[in-house]
Amino acid sequence: MASRRDGSGAGKALDIVPGAPAGANEGASSASHARRSAVDPPVRDPTAYAFTDHFLDRVTQPGRYVTFDAVREAIVHGQLRWSTTDGWRFAYTDDGVRYVIVVEDTETPSPVVVTGWTEIVDPEAARTARRFDATDVETIELRSALSARSEERIPDEIRPREVDRPFTVGNHRVRTGIGDGYVVCADCNGRFRSKETLTTRHCR
């Protein structure tokens, strides 16, 4: 299910992305745990986890808001849930934003962080938090709407949003204005009403 950077452990994540949890490389390569079944809860030691290429790509993209600190907090303190679609998830809420971290530790030699995303659970708390501004909150809300119904056109859910700072979806950097039923790529000027079209059409 999960693939990692080449090499052992976290695939030298510390050399690729600054701010990775201390000891991630060593912990991931030396973590000793018995072979686990899919129903066994994953470990709550963030230093034991490596990172997939997919996660490392996401953590650097504008508009994602998932950080290594959020991963650490989610693994140590977050709620643990099983999802039939992608397995174990840690969920941690701070300042009105839920950080969802998907992990895998049964099909790899050591546990890995597969992917992660953010969701707004308390808009007022998020808007008043120092770490977020209005565009951050609108971006998270818009990304969530696009992902929730990824194959459908959702002009009515895009129209109320105002996002003037481009964020990445697929290989497009998109933004939108209030009243527009689409997002616009800042690079190719393409107009999109669904996540599916954003992720299947190349930016020209």
Side-chain angles (χ1 to χ4, degrees), residues 68-85:
F68 289 110
D69 285 341
V71 170
R72 184 185 299 110
E73 290 299 312
I75 291 173
V76 174
H77 302 293
Q79 292 183 330
L80 183 58
R81 298 286 174 83
W82 170 261
S83 167
T84 55
T85 56

Side-chain angles (χ1 to χ4, degrees), residues 172-173 175 183-192 203-204:
H172 297 274
R173 294 187 313 115
R175 59 187 174 215
V183 296
V184 179
C185 178
D187 299 316
C188 70
N189 294 318
R191 295 182 177 185
F192 306 92
C203 183
R204 296 187 297 274

Side-chain angles (χ1 to χ4, degrees), residues 127 134-135 138-139 142 155-165 175-184:
R127 289 188 179 94
T135 300
E138 290 284 287
T139 299
L142 178 54
D156 291 340
E157 295 184 47
I158 298 172
R159 197 168 281 119
R161 304 293 169 198
E162 182 174 20
V163 179
D164 57 7
R165 191 165 57 231
R175 59 187 174 215
T176 191
I178 292 178
D180 294 337
Y182 50 81
V183 296
V184 179

Side-chain angles (χ1 to χ4, degrees), residues 31-99:
S32 59
H33 63 287
R35 180 61 66 179
R36 307 164 63 80
S37 72
V39 297
D40 292 325
V43 297
R44 282 191 176 268
D45 176 7
T47 65
Y49 284 82
F51 302 98
T52 62
D53 290 349
H54 178 73
F55 176 79
L56 290 174
D57 289 340
R58 282 196 162 201
V59 82
T60 60
Q61 287 181 358
R64 287 288 182 186
Y65 305 101
V66 175
T67 66
F68 289 110
D69 285 341
V71 170
R72 184 185 299 110
E73 290 299 312
I75 291 173
V76 174
H77 302 293
Q79 292 183 330
L80 183 58
R81 298 286 174 83
W82 170 261
S83 167
T84 55
T85 56
D86 49 25
W88 286 107
R89 300 176 176 183
F90 290 101
Y92 172 75
T93 300
D94 189 27
D95 286 333
V97 177
R98 178 186 292 123
Y99 300 86

